[in-house]
Amino acid sequence: MTQQSPDPLLNPARAPTLAGVERAAAKVAALLPQTPLLPLDVDGATVWCKAECLQPVGAFKIRGAWHRLTDLTPEQAAAGVVGVSSGNHAQGVAWAAKRLGIPATIVMPSNAPKMKLAATRALGAEVVLYDRVTESRDAVAAKLLEDRGGTLVHAYGDPWIIEGQGTAGIEARAQLNARGIDGPDKVIACCGGGGLSAGLALACPDAEIIAVEPEGWDDLTRSLAAGEILSVGDLSYPTECDALQTPQTWPINFAVLQARGVRGVVVTREDVRHAMRVAFEKLHLVVEPGGAAALAAVLAGKVDPGEATLVTLSGGNVDPKHYAEILAE
C-alpha cells in the first residue's frame, strides 16, 4: 500500500495549494514546452483557447502525472504505481512512468476507445480492464494495491494531480500577461472528476471558474448546486465524451471547487460536435469530444465570455474514423 512520508509535502492526505501548483509548474516547464494559447472570435468577443490537445500524450493529464510520479520516494517508485483512467490520464501516467523507469498498472474501462487502450499499452503500462457499469474502478485499483503494493495515482482525487493540472493556468496567465492582458478573469474548463477545474481554481484565484460536463454525466454540476457530492444517475448513459465519464467527484476536489464558488454547466452531444468542427475549421486543431466541452459551452451561449476568457481544449485523442464522421456532418 501507499507509504506515509514524514515530509508533509509528500503526504497523500494533504490539501492541494497554490504553492503546490507553482512548484509543479516549475517541474513541467523544465520538461515540456508551453502549449499554445490561441485567440478565437466568438460573436465579436475574443476567447483564449489553451491547446492541451498538443501535449505529447494528446492531453493535459501529463502535467499531473509528472508532478505525482516525480515526488515518489525511491522505495515508492520501485514498488510501482496504479492508476485509474478513462484513457487520457492513463497515457499521462504511462508516459511519466516510462521516462522515470517506474512500473505502472492502469485500471481502464473495457469500453474505452481502442486507440487510448493501445497507446497506454504502447507506453509500457499494464492495463487492467473493468466494466464501467457493473464494477468500481476504485475497488479494482484497491485490490491491486492490496495484492501487489504500490502507490495509487488517482485521475483526480489526488493533491499532486490537482496541482499538476493547475499548471495549465499558470502558463496561460503568463501567456496573457505577455500580450499585455490582465487575466484570465474567467476560466472555462472541461470537467470529468474535477481535477483540472480544481487545479485551475487554485492557479487563477481571481478568476471565475466554470466546469463544463456532458449531459447525463453532470454529477459535479448537480453537486455544486446541491452543496453535497452526488453521483451519476445512470452509468450506462451514452456519451461521446469518454474522457469526462466519472461516476462522482472526490471530497478533495469538491472542497476546492466549493471554496471558490465554482459553478457547473452542461453541454449536449450536438454542442460538443459543433465545437469540434469549429476547433478544426478556425484553429486547425484536432480536439476529442471531451476536450471540446468547454468550447462547446461558449459557442452554445451557455457561458458568456469575459474580458479575458480562458477555454481549455483539454484533449485530442479521438478515433480517426469517428472524428471524420463528425467533421463531415
Side-chain angles (χ1 to χ4, degrees):
M1 297 297 289
T2 302
Q3 301 176 33
Q4 298 291 330
S5 168
D7 185 342
L9 282 178
L10 301 183
N11 180 3
R14 68 182 178 85
T17 64
L18 173 56
V21 178
E22 292 170 339
R23 189 168 69 90
K27 291 186 189 179
V28 172
L31 177 72
L32 301 168
Q34 293 187 352
T35 54
L37 188 68
L38 304 173
L40 177 68
D41 180 84
V42 180
D43 296 329
T46 298
V47 298
W48 294 91
C49 301
K50 187 67 167 154
E52 289 295 290
C53 51
L54 297 179
Q55 290 285 10
V57 297
F60 72 96
K61 297 286 192 174
I62 196 170
R63 296 175 178 274
W66 185 251
H67 184 41
R68 184 66 185 100
L69 267 61
T70 51
D71 262 13
L72 294 175
T73 66
E75 294 77 17
Q76 289 173 328
V81 295
V82 174
V84 295
S85 174
S86 294
N88 288 337
H89 176 68
Q91 293 171 75
V93 172
W95 188 93
K98 181 178 181 179
R99 190 177 182 96
L100 295 168
I102 297 172
T105 302
I106 316 294
V107 179
M108 299 179 67
S110 56
N111 64 344
K114 292 180 180 179
M115 66 171 297
K116 292 184 178 182
L117 291 167
T120 303
R121 292 183 174 116
L123 286 166
E126 177 189 356
V127 172
V128 174
L129 300 176
Y130 77 101
D131 186 284
R132 196 193 294 269
V133 176
T134 63
E135 293 182 285
S136 163
R137 67 182 186 179
D138 292 335
V140 174
K143 185 64 166 62
L144 287 170
L145 290 166
E146 180 183 346
D147 292 344
R148 306 179 181 184
T151 297
L152 175 66
V153 181
H154 199 271
Y156 48 88
D158 180 291
W160 285 270
I161 296 299
I162 294 170
E163 291 169 347
Q165 319 309 28
T167 63
I170 299 289
E171 277 187 18
R173 192 172 64 197
Q175 289 169 314
L176 285 172
N177 293 345
R179 292 175 168 85
I181 300 171
D182 185 18
D185 61 357
K186 184 175 289 189
V187 178
I188 308 170
C190 306
C191 182
L196 177 61
S197 300
L200 292 171
L202 292 171
C204 304
D206 299 321
E208 178 187 2
I209 310 293
I210 296 120
V212 184
E213 296 178 294
E215 59 183 353
W217 293 84
D218 59 344
D219 57 290
L220 184 60
T221 298
R222 293 184 293 106
S223 297
L224 290 169
E228 61 177 330
I229 295 177
L230 304 174
S231 301
V232 169
D234 179 5
L235 293 175
S236 64
Y237 192 95
T239 180
E240 292 178 315
C241 299
D242 61 275
L244 307 182
Q245 285 183 273
T246 55
Q248 67 179 43
T249 191
W250 275 30
I252 188 173
N253 307 83
F254 195 59
V256 174
L257 299 173
Q258 266 198 314
R260 285 283 278 106
V262 176
R263 66 183 177 94
V265 169
V266 182
V267 291
T268 68
R269 176 176 181 268
E270 290 71 26
D271 294 337
V272 167
R273 287 183 161 218
H274 174 60
M276 292 172 67
R277 290 191 290 271
V278 169
F280 174 76
E281 294 165 4
K282 302 296 185 182
L283 300 175
H284 313 293
L285 291 174
V286 175
V287 183
E288 67 182 282
L295 180 58
V298 178
L299 296 175
K302 296 177 178 179
V303 179
D304 294 326
E307 293 297 318
T309 298
L310 172 65
V311 174
T312 64
L313 302 178
S314 56
N317 296 314
V318 57
D319 175 76
K321 182 178 179 181
H322 184 54
Y323 182 66
E325 292 171 352
I326 293 173
L327 291 185
E329 283 186 344

